[in-house]
Amino acid sequence: MSTELPPVAPEVLAEAVESLTARLRKKLDDATAGCADAATRETDGSVTFRFGEDAVVTLRPGPAGTVTAAAQATCTCLLAPRCLHRAAALGAAPLADAAPPEPEPEPVPESAGSAAAGTERAPAAASAEAEGASDEPAESVPALTAAQLGAAAALWHAAAEALAAGVTAGGAVVQAELLRAAHTARLAGLPRAEAAALRVVRGLRAARERRTAHRLGDLTGSFRELLHTAGVLASGTAGPALTGTSRRAYTPGGSLQVQGLCREPVLSATGYGGVVTHLLAPDGSRYSISDVRPGGLARARGAGRASVALGGATLDHAGLARGGLRIVGATVSAEGRLGAGRGVKATPLPGAAWTDGPAAPLFARPAAEAVAELLAAPAEAAETETALIGCDVTVVGAAGDHLLVREAVPHAPLLRLLPAHPHPELPHTENLRRIASYPGLRLRVLGRPDLDRAATLRPVAVGPVPGAQYTLRLPEDWLGRADLGYDRLQGEHFPAPDAATEAAGEAGPVPAADAPDPLADAPLWRVRRLLETGVAGGRRAVAEAARGTAAQAACGPLRRAGLTAAADLATALAAEADRRPRDAFGRLADPSPDGYAWAWLAAATHLAAAERSLVAASWTATPNGATPAAP
């Protein structure tokens, strides 16, 4: 019977694998397989693994439930602690987060002229302003230290080796090298690089274990982010945005008055769950209050009605999402998160509907304008991933796994609505499925654009359209909106069936085919497949794909479509993958994977930029309402 294993700090696992001999490292992957099913939870909270009659490994997590020290993992065999059993047990456990959440520190007082404005700003945007503010030496980007440059170079090398190996050869030893380099990056003060490395290791694990939630595209994106971050850092030209911050800094925000916008569940792959409630100030500044802790799905479902831990406020998150707060002595992070320091005082305020409060401007402009503003921001900007936009739409019907709607503006393209979180135990999918059964329904949607898909919005809350006849009928105490991650829409929340025929006629017939998708129609999928082939099978798989006529057949459509840069980069990647020069004795003359990693990164970076431009085009309205073709 399988037992839930305690998370293990990355550096503990890396040290255990590093201490093995070369002979034992070759056996590590086979020894790790099946360890989790043989684990036993003891009465004292420890977890034991039995390897035969004479070897028993015991993991004793600390007070936080995590194995953070080598002494917390012991084995009874004669080779311990440099034994295969101990490394296998540690490798079977999930990876712990590098920097677990810590209590918020008291803010450092600032001068009156340097108080935080409170608007939601990304660290990248703030650093960009600092870089461009002046040419004076005092405003220049601080140079990286020698330790940071060395850590970044080591992480680049480990990432390049992992990419060359791919999923098929990226076993425990390759992962341990990445974890060791990630830990070095953490000690050198490069938390963003460390986080990128941990995402790659988790993706490699999920791929090798064939978990249902694994997506090869996600692992490809993680490799691109890691190689880009490590490469730029190693060059010594990186700014503060790429170094990252290990802790969220809170600064004084003065007195604030905020209104609830919506709430949504948070469920991470590392076992954390909770809720985040989005807030707006009268001037449109965006804030949020989150409550995320270990607990997974159960924590995410129950946190929707947990009390708000902010300045003695008596509201829960459900009440705050439809209410408001007056805050004295507020502390605010750069991302707009409100802190709960000892000096913060909060008083509840009556809520406001989307039509009356500060949320009204969110629905006053077409969604295409809001998305264009997000796409114009730097790719590293936090708001491109977290910003919420609003629009009024008419339901067209279901198509595949998504819901088709059309925005209530002239010549608007069809939009796709996908669940903000697809977990079946959360009501997102069920709510969208029920909405899809009412063609012609007018709907006010607040959601997060999916910038990796064509014209796709992931709604977190919906409400009735003011003045529309065929729209939602929500209870008065809901204040005109339903949080799709917590509120379950029922039949009584929809209009009467006798009004459906006329409204459906206004919406037009349900399309037999899906909406136009310039991202799927473009031949860029050939480059994407080549990159994913490299991630799955490593350098050798890319080299095999480049031999014969396959390479010409893949690049021909790219050149005919005018995507010559993508074709050239794909050709260069295939050539570099197959370049294995040898000396007179048959030995590899250049065994370094750096050249291959740079070629892969160049193709991946160009592909991401090209797909981003196609996504932007899919949101653009045309005179006949069709999605424009790719440039």
Side-chain angles (χ1 to χ4, degrees):
M1 182 177 180
S2 62
T3 300
E4 184 176 355
L5 303 182
V8 173
E11 61 270 20
V12 175
L13 174 58
E15 183 181 357
V17 176
E18 187 177 355
S19 65
L20 297 178
T21 63
R23 181 180 63 85
L24 293 179
R25 290 187 183 187
K26 295 179 181 179
K27 301 180 180 180
L28 182 56
D29 288 330
D30 292 337
T32 303
C35 275
D37 295 332
T40 302
R41 174 75 64 174
E42 305 296 340
T43 56
D44 60 353
S46 63
V47 177
T48 58
F49 305 78
R50 181 169 293 278
F51 295 84
E53 298 182 357
D54 300 328
V56 177
V57 177
T58 303
L59 302 184
R60 295 183 176 86
T66 303
V67 177
T68 58
Q72 294 174 332
T74 59
C75 181
T76 59
C77 76
L78 296 178
L79 293 178
R82 301 180 178 181
C83 63
L84 180 65
H85 315 116
R86 180 173 174 271
L90 289 171
L95 284 178
D97 287 335
E102 300 180 19
E104 175 205 347
E106 286 297 311
V108 178
E110 298 185 353
S111 62
S114 61
T119 55
E120 186 175 359
R121 299 174 58 206
S127 64
E129 293 177 6
E131 292 177 22
S134 172
D135 292 331
E136 296 293 330
E139 298 294 336
S140 61
V141 178
L144 298 181
T145 65
Q148 289 176 321
L149 292 174
L155 186 56
W156 163 267
H157 181 73
E161 292 282 1
L163 178 68
V167 172
T168 54
V173 175
V174 172
Q175 296 171 26
E177 293 296 331
L178 270 174
L179 294 178
R180 169 62 69 185
H183 181 59
T184 304
R186 177 187 181 184
L187 296 179
L190 302 174
R192 176 167 175 171
E194 180 204 16
L198 293 184
R199 283 194 296 270
V200 168
V201 173
R202 291 191 176 104
L204 287 173
R205 283 188 167 194
R208 292 177 62 84
E209 296 171 6
R210 299 185 179 182
R211 300 177 192 169
T212 56
H214 163 69
R215 291 181 65 247
L216 187 58
D218 294 339
L219 181 55
T220 303
S222 297
F223 262 111
R224 184 184 70 243
E225 169 68 14
L226 173 58
L227 289 170
H228 168 73
T229 303
V232 177
L233 286 172
S235 69
T237 61
L242 276 185
T243 57
T245 55
S246 57
R247 296 186 62 176
R248 183 177 293 112
Y250 288 84
T251 55
S255 297
L256 297 175
Q257 181 174 318
V258 292
Q259 291 288 337
L261 186 61
C262 65
R263 61 187 165 139
E264 62 174 320
V266 176
L267 184 61
S268 74
T270 56
Y272 285 83
V275 62
V276 57
T277 298
H278 300 278
L279 309 165
L280 280 177
D283 62 355
S285 301
R286 303 189 183 192
Y287 300 91
S288 65
I289 295 178
S290 62
D291 183 4
V292 181
R293 303 175 187 175
L297 177 63
R299 182 76 176 80
R301 296 175 63 181
R305 291 196 171 274
S307 299
V308 176
L310 183 69
T314 58
L315 287 174
D316 58 14
H317 281 271
L320 179 58
R322 296 183 174 94
L325 284 176
R326 179 179 288 111
I327 308 172
V328 178
T331 57
V332 188
S333 74
E335 298 85 6
R337 291 186 181 272
L338 297 177
R342 290 194 296 268
V344 178
K345 304 296 181 184
T347 305
L349 295 175
W354 282 352
T355 55
D356 302 328
L362 292 176
F363 305 93
R365 61 173 177 170
E369 293 184 10
V371 173
E373 183 177 311
L374 290 176
L375 290 171
E380 299 86 2
E383 56 262 32
T384 61
E385 302 291 339
T386 61
L388 298 176
I389 67 171
C391 57
D392 293 343
V393 300
T394 301
V395 175
V396 176
D401 61 345
H402 50 264
L403 170 64
L404 290 179
V405 299
R406 191 181 295 279
E407 193 177 1
V409 297
H411 313 304
L414 285 173
L415 305 181
R416 300 167 177 83
L417 300 188
L418 284 175
H421 203 297
H423 198 287
E425 296 296 326
L426 297 174
H428 293 97
T429 302
E430 179 184 345
N431 283 331
L432 288 184
R433 186 181 297 115
R434 185 176 288 272
I435 291 173
S437 62
Y438 289 84
L441 182 72
R442 299 292 305 281
L443 199 65
R444 175 158 282 188
V445 177
L446 183 69
R448 185 173 291 107
D450 189 338
L451 302 182
D452 294 328
R453 297 173 180 261
T456 299
L457 191 66
R458 295 187 180 270
V460 298
V462 296
V465 175
Q469 295 297 321
Y470 193 59
T471 188
L472 292 175
R473 305 284 191 265
L474 300 180
E476 292 185 5
D477 58 347
W478 285 18
L479 281 183
R481 66 258 204 184
D483 299 326
L484 295 179
Y486 289 104
D487 301 321
R488 294 186 180 272
L489 296 175
Q490 307 294 335
E492 60 188 18
H493 299 145
F494 292 88
D498 55 3
T501 304
E502 180 181 354
E506 297 176 358
V510 177
D514 203 347
D517 189 344
L519 190 60
D521 297 338
L524 287 172
W525 63 266
R526 300 174 183 273
V527 182
R528 189 184 314 112
R529 184 171 65 180
L530 182 64
L531 294 171
E532 292 180 354
T533 297
V535 171
R539 178 175 184 166
R540 180 178 300 178
V542 176
E544 291 292 337
R547 292 170 185 157
T549 60
Q552 297 178 355
C555 293
L558 290 170
R559 298 189 186 280
R560 288 192 294 271
L563 301 170
T564 56
D568 292 341
L569 290 171
T571 302
L573 171 61
E576 182 62 33
D578 201 27
R579 188 183 68 85
R580 308 287 282 180
R582 297 182 181 274
D583 59 17
F585 299 98
R587 297 171 299 192
L588 287 176
D590 183 17
S592 172
D594 287 355
Y596 170 74
W598 281 118
W600 188 95
L601 178 59
T605 302
H606 179 272
L607 175 65
E611 291 181 336
R612 193 177 181 91
S613 66
L614 291 176
V615 169
S618 69
W619 285 87
T620 304
T622 58
N624 60 359
T627 303

